[in-house]
Amino acid sequence: MFFVKTHMLNHTWKAVKVGTYDGHLCLRLFDFTYQLFVTTMIQRRMGIASMTYNKALKMCNFINEHPANFKPVLNILPESYNIPNLAKTSLLAFTRNPSEIPVQEASPAVVRLENVLMETAISGQNESKSSLSYAPQRKTFAAQQIISTTAVAPFIKSLTEFWVQLEPDLVSTIAKRISKLADNPDFVCRNNFVASAGKPCLALFASDGCWYRALIEDVNHYAITICYIDYGNSCVVENSCLQELPLDLVEQPPLAFKCCLNGAEHFYKEFAEAFQTDLTQLSAFSVKYCNTVDNTLHVRLYSSDGVELVQRRLFKFPLMHAVQNFNFSPEEMISRLAVASYIKSLSEFWVQLEPKTVGAITERLEMLALHPEFINQKNFIASVGKPCLAFYQDEDSFFPDDGRWNRAVVEEVNGDKARVYYFDYGYSRTVKMRHLRNLPSDYTKQPAQAFRCCLVGAESMLEEDADSFVKRFVKRSIFAIKFLKEVDGILHVRLFTSGGVDLIERHYEPHVLPETTEIPVEEVVDDVVPGPFAFLILTPSKLSKKARRPR
């Protein structure tokens, strides 16, 4: 009772209703690690397990039918102690082995009770020897719940079968505990471990010479297959590489969760391989839970800034064999004729550093689109990460053929439609499968032409000022870009006029207007470079003198 009070009082428990008996609820109590409280008592040798719940009720019924025989049989409590009705408690454990209980002048009822207790004790002991196991993992989460913000992936077979540590700090704590244990000379000298399938243990990992928690999966003579439960990988070891696991480490559930990346079955092979490499190199990421299928968590993964890792990969490396150049020097002016091709905000917008290159690509695609073989092509199979040609049609267009083909990459597959990312512009859109074509290999040699940018200094601008700045400069102007730094594929930049005036400074000095290339929308020649954002892609040589005059 002292053990029960010290370990149960003032603690929070999850109570699972088993049934009712004589007006009382019969409960099973679990702690925060989902360890059954009674199991803890048994492991600490504070009780003997009952084989089944029905057998426990049978014992309680028998005791209640013969209350006079209760104290003489157990003989463990003082005469003045008020003995409770065992059938009205959820803890069915006995503090002594019934085989040691002295019985004097026992009645037939007492003998029957002794036999019941003896049978239960023996079966319970046998069960406890073979049922020593790790506490169960928590696999009940709410849909769309962020279940970790510091996760790592220690072992990956594929994107549909990989293991994630939701609490890597806890893994490190356990590793320190094991390391301290392994430093004891007696630990290394032990050689009496008996291997059996399903048994928890400590296992040596040959690659680094460290010990880890493991579970024996199979025993085949000298070859023992074990799984490192905090990492997910399995290997075959000899019995000499195994040691007994302390009970306090058994009470901690496995910390590696088997996962499947949501939608990974639709991934393009090359993209999946590249994404898998990315995942192994990440020091931390966030995990959003979707659902559980066959004990596997289906999840979505995010970077620390909230961008989905799949999207980040698509933005940063839309073409596997033509990587964007991020080899810029701080304070370098990386373009003097840049345009903004797509704007979400001043902290997330896309810029074409070389609009003429985009125009050249688009002109070639227009010629390709006239070829009969291209028009009649029907064999495109969409998969996430697969480069393609996608038809772009303005949402306000009344003419079904009023659009152009542009380079893109598939972001998501949904039935007869796919969401694609136009990587020369930074814009995403859902299109029908019949509007997708295979991207010829010649068109994969040029990297993506839209760079994702963040304007340094915009974070201090009021919302009205930011909107005004976008309308006045970013949407309308050709500007110069100064590179400051690159963070996770995003260029942090400052914008300047062709004359070298910082646009943010100019925005707050409206009466000092140096000569600029700012163009009124109504006077823009919009056929210089065809494409979905053609009205933004301008070259000074095509502008009229009137359009370039200062305002």
Side-chain angles (χ1 to χ4, degrees):
M1 292 303 298
F2 177 78
F3 178 89
V4 172
K5 286 182 180 179
T6 55
H7 287 76
M8 183 183 290
L9 196 63
N10 296 326
H11 287 70
T12 301
W13 301 91
K14 178 179 179 181
V16 178
K17 179 181 175 182
V18 178
T20 58
Y21 186 81
D22 196 19
H24 290 70
L25 289 179
C26 294
L27 304 175
R28 306 185 77 196
L29 301 182
F30 296 83
D31 64 15
F32 72 99
T33 66
Y34 282 74
Q35 168 78 20
L36 184 63
F37 179 73
V38 173
T39 303
T40 303
M41 291 189 66
I42 294 166
Q43 291 173 350
R44 301 290 179 86
R45 302 185 183 277
M46 300 300 295
I48 297 171
S50 171
M51 175 66 78
T52 65
Y53 175 68
N54 289 332
K55 181 168 289 187
L57 284 184
K58 179 180 177 183
M59 292 162 53
C60 293
N61 287 334
F62 194 87
I63 291 173
N64 287 332
E65 291 171 3
H66 307 277
N69 298 324
F70 178 63
K71 283 195 290 183
V73 173
L74 294 182
N75 195 30
I76 59 174
L77 299 173
E79 292 295 327
S80 61
Y81 191 82
N82 183 20
I83 298 173
N85 184 337
L86 286 189
K88 297 180 181 180
T89 179
S90 61
L91 277 175
L92 300 172
F94 297 89
T95 56
R96 285 183 59 182
N97 188 329
S99 62
E100 299 175 357
I101 297 173
V103 180
Q104 297 178 356
E105 300 179 358
S107 65
V110 173
V111 175
R112 284 177 55 202
L113 175 58
E114 183 187 20
N115 292 339
V116 171
L117 295 178
M118 179 73 76
E119 178 186 352
T120 302
I122 294 173
S123 61
Q125 287 176 331
N126 291 338
E127 181 187 18
S128 65
K129 287 181 180 179
S130 60
S131 63
L132 184 65
S133 59
Y134 291 106
Q137 278 184 318
R138 179 189 174 188
K139 292 188 178 180
T140 304
F141 303 102
Q144 305 307 311
Q145 174 188 355
I146 299 294
I147 59 178
S148 177
T149 57
T150 58
V152 295
F155 180 60
I156 304 175
K157 281 188 177 180
S158 68
L159 294 180
T160 57
E161 188 179 4
F162 61 99
W163 279 259
V164 165
Q165 294 172 352
L166 301 180
E167 301 176 87
D169 288 345
L170 187 53
V171 177
S172 298
T173 301
I174 290 177
K176 291 177 182 177
R177 164 81 171 91
I178 296 173
S179 178
K180 186 178 293 187
L181 189 69
D183 288 340
N184 189 334
D186 294 339
F187 178 84
V188 182
C189 296
R190 297 174 190 167
N191 57 3
N192 58 347
F193 183 83
V194 179
S196 60
K199 185 177 180 179
C201 63
L202 282 173
L204 186 68
F205 188 58
S207 297
D208 60 9
C210 295
W211 294 82
Y212 299 94
R213 296 197 305 164
L215 181 70
I216 298 176
E217 295 181 329
D218 183 60
V219 178
N220 186 8
H221 300 291
Y222 297 105
I224 303 171
T225 304
I226 56 101
C227 172
Y228 297 98
I229 63 164
D230 296 325
Y231 297 86
N233 54 316
S234 298
C235 68
V236 177
V237 299
E238 297 180 352
N239 195 82
S240 59
C241 295
L242 304 177
Q243 293 282 11
E244 293 288 347
L245 186 65
L247 284 178
D248 64 307
L249 294 179
V250 179
E251 293 172 1
Q252 192 67 241
L255 297 176
F257 288 78
K258 187 179 180 182
C259 294
C260 171
L261 185 63
N262 206 42
E265 64 276 9
H266 298 301
F267 278 24
Y268 187 51
K269 181 181 177 182
E270 290 184 9
F271 178 80
E273 292 172 351
F275 185 88
Q276 186 170 320
T277 301
D278 290 347
L279 197 56
T280 58
Q281 296 173 350
L282 280 176
S283 58
F285 52 84
S286 296
V287 180
K288 179 183 284 188
Y289 172 79
C290 298
N291 62 332
T292 301
V293 179
D294 296 331
N295 291 321
T296 301
L297 306 186
H298 286 240
V299 298
R300 301 181 84 108
L301 308 179
Y302 295 82
S303 60
S304 58
D305 58 357
V307 177
E308 192 166 4
L309 293 184
V310 172
Q311 296 294 321
R312 190 180 74 165
R313 177 77 201 182
L314 291 170
F315 288 157
K316 196 171 181 180
F317 305 106
L319 291 171
M320 299 297 144
H321 306 296
V323 180
Q324 282 183 316
N325 175 30
F326 290 99
N327 190 26
F328 305 119
S329 301
E331 303 297 325
E332 177 186 352
M333 200 68 75
I334 58 178
S335 176
R336 294 190 178 275
L337 296 172
V339 295
S341 56
Y342 179 59
I343 307 166
K344 283 188 177 180
S345 68
L346 289 178
S347 60
E348 189 178 6
F349 61 99
W350 280 257
V351 166
Q352 294 172 348
L353 302 181
E354 301 177 18
K356 287 185 178 180
T357 302
V358 180
I361 293 173
T362 307
E363 288 177 2
R364 291 177 59 201
L365 290 175
E366 283 191 334
M367 296 298 295
L368 178 66
L370 298 175
H371 199 283
E373 289 185 8
F374 179 84
I375 298 172
N376 298 322
Q377 191 182 109
K378 305 286 185 180
N379 60 346
F380 182 80
I381 301 175
S383 54
V384 176
K386 185 175 183 179
C388 63
L389 286 173
F391 190 73
Y392 180 91
Q393 182 181 8
D394 189 83
E395 294 178 352
D396 298 328
S397 175
F398 290 98
F399 303 99
D401 296 327
D402 186 15
R404 295 182 176 92
W405 292 89
N406 291 278
R407 299 194 303 168
V409 62
V410 179
E411 284 187 324
E412 188 176 329
V413 178
N414 188 10
D416 64 342
K417 295 182 179 180
R419 186 170 181 82
V420 299
Y421 169 57
Y422 296 94
F423 52 76
D424 289 327
Y425 300 90
Y427 182 77
S428 295
R429 190 164 180 189
T430 299
V431 299
K432 295 179 180 179
M433 290 293 183
R434 59 187 175 87
H435 288 158
L436 298 177
R437 297 288 187 273
N438 288 309
L439 182 66
S441 58
D442 289 347
Y443 291 87
T444 64
K445 296 177 181 178
Q446 284 282 356
Q449 296 299 304
F451 287 79
R452 188 180 174 192
C453 295
C454 172
L455 181 61
V456 175
E459 64 277 2
S460 60
M461 298 176 70
L462 297 175
E463 185 177 350
E464 312 86 69
D465 285 337
D467 291 342
S468 174
F469 183 87
V470 168
K471 292 175 183 177
R472 185 179 179 190
F473 298 113
V474 185
K475 278 188 176 181
R476 298 169 176 240
S477 301
I478 295 171
F479 44 77
I481 295 186
K482 178 181 285 188
F483 170 80
L484 299 181
K485 63 179 179 178
E486 182 259 327
V487 180
D488 202 17
I490 302 173
L491 305 185
H492 289 243
V493 299
R494 297 292 291 247
L495 307 183
F496 294 82
T497 67
S498 59
V501 178
D502 190 307
L503 288 182
I504 291 183
E505 294 178 3
R506 182 182 173 189
H507 180 63
Y508 289 107
E509 298 177 2
H511 300 296
V512 182
L513 299 176
E515 198 169 60
T516 178
T517 57
E518 182 179 334
I519 312 301
V521 173
E522 64 274 13
E523 299 179 22
V524 171
V525 181
D526 62 358
D527 60 352
V528 175
V529 181
F533 299 94
F535 69 97
L536 292 174
I537 306 171
L538 312 170
T539 54
S541 61
K542 297 290 184 178
L543 304 177
S544 65
K545 294 182 179 180
K546 182 180 179 182
R548 283 183 283 167
R549 73 177 185 273
R551 295 187 301 163

